[in-house]
Amino acid sequence: MAEFTLDLNDDQKQIRDWLHGFAADVIRPAAAEWDEREETPWPVIQEAAKVGIYSLDFYAQQFFDPTGLGIPMAMEELFWGDAGIALSLVGTGLAAVGVLANGTEEQIGTWIPQMYGDADDVKVAAFCSSEPDAGSDVAAMRTRAVYDGAKDEWVLNGTKTWATNGGIANVHVVVAVVDGALGSKGHASFIVPPGTPGLSQGQKFKKHGIRASHTAEVVLEDVRIPDHCLLGGKEKLDERLARARERAAAPGGERVKNAAMATFEASRPAVGAMAVGTARAAYEVALDYAKTRSQFGRPIIDNQGIAFQLADMRTRIDASRLLVWRASWMATTGKPFTSAEGSMSKLYASETAKKVTAQAVQILGGNGFTREYPVERMHRDAAIYTIFEGTSEIQRLVIARTLSGMPIR
């Protein structure tokens, strides 16, 4: 088991520097354009695929890094470049994590490669969980999956919302209700293969931030998929549902894993790393500006009001990174989140990104409020971190429940 360390090894440093160079040379120069266009930056994804960043092999190598630091390190550097473009590059990963968390080895080997395509024909994937009436309240999910034994198929009906790459994805991973009486324990995840009839894109959202990332509704109308597209398989699902029913009849029994929550538990530290990247980018712009911008005959950093803000910004960023790295190391080495360390990392880092980017705008003054400087975009982008994959309020709820052992509402 790898010991926790703050020192990256030589291979990790090389990868970090390579990613930083791509972020600086390819992502940043394109950021303003694709933010304005509000479209998926296919040319950037194509370039990332050509150099090996947008690929199953690259993310697998980072995911299986024995120290746990591969993914957070990669996320921080890419999102330092630009949050919207970076989310287009890593959004497929959430669907891949959904398959890794719930699928069989055969399903993992079959579907994850199809999510990425190759350098000559890049593809993206979508993880579809949220619904118009079921965001944080996953128990309110209405999308249904009904098994048709005569044809050995599942039939999916419902509408998903806030789906990154929704409708444009090659592969969709859809969470649906298979037993409504069990609440969130009666959910399962399904693969909807490319070209499946009945799946269509609904509304595409025009967003406040991360505008280079495609976000849309996904409509499912009598979508028929073969039984082997049920992640984990029907036998495993039937066993899990049976345990959930027993627990419902006798409170205090075995805890049963929820399909969507398994995905979010695995990805929360990675989202924290994204937030760290955006916060660090805004801090660096503000620091450089404060050292070169003069007022009343001296650089504005010479004023305590500015200098102390920058000190606080850097402290919060470093503290956020430490929480993210700890949670990532714990997850990789099999240490349980006994104090909801994954949620802690996501909560603190996302709140830090919002605060630091707001402070950066303030330090730049009027310039910070214009699109001539990137902190305006970074501030808009940072708002998403406290919302997606569990709001800050939900993270606090998870932490409080874990610490207290009480069903806090």
Side-chain angles (χ1 to χ4, degrees):
M1 182 175 66
E3 295 296 325
F4 181 68
T5 176
L6 299 178
D7 292 325
L8 299 178
N9 60 41
D10 290 341
D11 288 341
Q12 290 170 327
K13 290 177 182 177
Q14 185 175 8
I15 292 171
R16 179 199 61 192
D17 293 345
W18 173 51
L19 291 171
H20 186 81
F22 184 85
D25 297 339
V26 180
I27 294 178
R28 280 204 168 178
E33 175 188 351
W34 292 100
D35 177 71
E36 290 286 348
R37 292 176 63 166
E38 299 190 53
E39 296 174 358
T40 300
W42 290 108
V44 181
I45 299 175
Q46 185 84 40
E47 187 65 26
K50 287 180 180 178
V51 300
I53 292 175
Y54 185 79
S55 70
L56 171 60
D57 287 345
F58 172 72
Y59 288 111
Q61 289 174 11
Q62 305 317 308
F63 186 85
F64 291 111
D65 182 335
T67 69
L69 303 185
I71 288 293
M73 179 187 64
M75 295 301 104
E76 180 176 338
E77 294 304 328
L78 293 173
F79 280 74
W80 172 89
D82 176 69
I85 291 178
L87 193 56
S88 286
L89 292 174
V90 307
T92 293
L94 185 59
V97 169
V99 176
L100 284 169
N102 301 293
T104 64
E105 289 187 7
E106 182 179 359
Q107 289 170 330
I108 291 169
T110 298
W111 295 111
I112 294 183
Q114 295 186 47
M115 294 179 174
Y116 289 94
D118 56 45
D120 296 322
D121 185 21
V122 294
K123 304 292 185 183
V124 294
F127 182 75
C128 308
S129 177
S130 294
E131 298 184 3
D133 296 318
S136 298
D137 183 11
V138 294
M141 190 177 293
R142 295 181 180 178
T143 296
R144 292 291 189 270
V146 178
Y147 180 64
D148 182 349
K151 297 184 177 180
D152 196 27
E153 293 179 335
W154 290 88
V155 185
L156 277 60
N157 283 281
T159 299
K160 294 296 182 178
T161 194
W162 312 122
T164 298
N165 298 329
I168 66 170
N170 193 48
V171 176
H172 291 76
V173 178
V174 177
V175 182
V177 178
V178 293
D179 187 335
L182 296 176
S184 63
K185 301 299 186 292
H187 297 173
S189 293
F190 299 84
I191 291 286
V192 180
T196 300
L199 184 148
S200 62
Q201 179 183 307
Q203 175 187 4
K204 178 187 175 183
F205 296 103
K206 297 181 73 67
K207 305 187 299 294
H208 175 66
I210 54 168
R211 301 198 303 194
S213 173
H214 176 96
T215 310
E217 291 181 331
V218 173
V219 180
L220 304 140
E221 296 180 310
D222 292 329
V223 173
R224 286 185 169 269
I225 55 175
D227 180 56
H228 64 75
C229 287
L230 164 64
L231 289 179
K234 194 169 187 303
E235 182 178 349
K236 183 177 179 181
L237 172 65
D238 289 342
E239 292 174 357
R240 179 166 63 81
L241 294 177
R243 292 198 303 270
R245 294 182 186 113
E246 290 176 4
R247 186 173 186 270
E254 181 183 1
R255 186 176 180 182
V256 182
K257 182 178 74 172
N258 170 264
M261 289 302 102
T263 302
F264 293 140
E265 286 168 6
S267 61
R268 277 173 178 159
V271 176
M274 299 174 189
V276 172
T278 299
R280 189 184 112 211
Y283 158 76
E284 290 176 0
V285 173
L287 177 62
D288 289 343
Y289 186 88
K291 291 163 67 176
T292 57
R293 171 70 167 173
S294 292
Q295 289 286 283
F296 304 106
R298 60 182 183 178
I300 61 174
I301 198 172
D302 197 30
N303 299 297
Q304 285 188 4
I306 300 296
F308 285 7
Q309 281 194 75
L310 289 162
D312 287 344
M313 292 159 74
R314 177 58 185 268
T315 300
R316 287 187 64 104
I317 291 167
D318 282 13
S320 298
R321 185 183 297 108
L322 287 170
L323 287 169
V324 167
W325 282 20
R326 180 185 69 168
S328 300
W329 172 76
M330 291 178 67
T332 297
T333 55
K335 293 186 178 295
F337 289 163
T338 56
S339 299
E341 287 86 353
S343 288
M344 283 184 183
S345 69
K346 198 267 186 185
L347 169 65
Y348 194 80
S350 61
E351 295 286 344
T352 290
K354 282 189 67 174
K355 183 176 181 62
V356 166
T357 56
Q359 288 176 300
V361 170
Q362 189 69 23
I363 289 171
L364 269 67
N367 286 329
F369 200 66
T370 71
R371 295 188 183 180
E372 298 300 315
Y373 288 79
V375 293
E376 179 271 339
R377 184 180 67 253
M378 295 169 183
H379 183 43
R380 286 188 285 108
D381 291 341
I384 194 60
Y385 298 126
T386 63
I387 298 172
F388 71 176
E389 294 201 50
T391 64
S392 289
E393 291 74 21
I394 289 296
Q395 305 308 325
R396 291 185 174 97
L397 185 64
V398 170
I399 295 166
R401 284 176 173 174
T402 304
L403 296 177
S404 67
M406 302 293 289
I408 299 169
R409 297 179 181 272

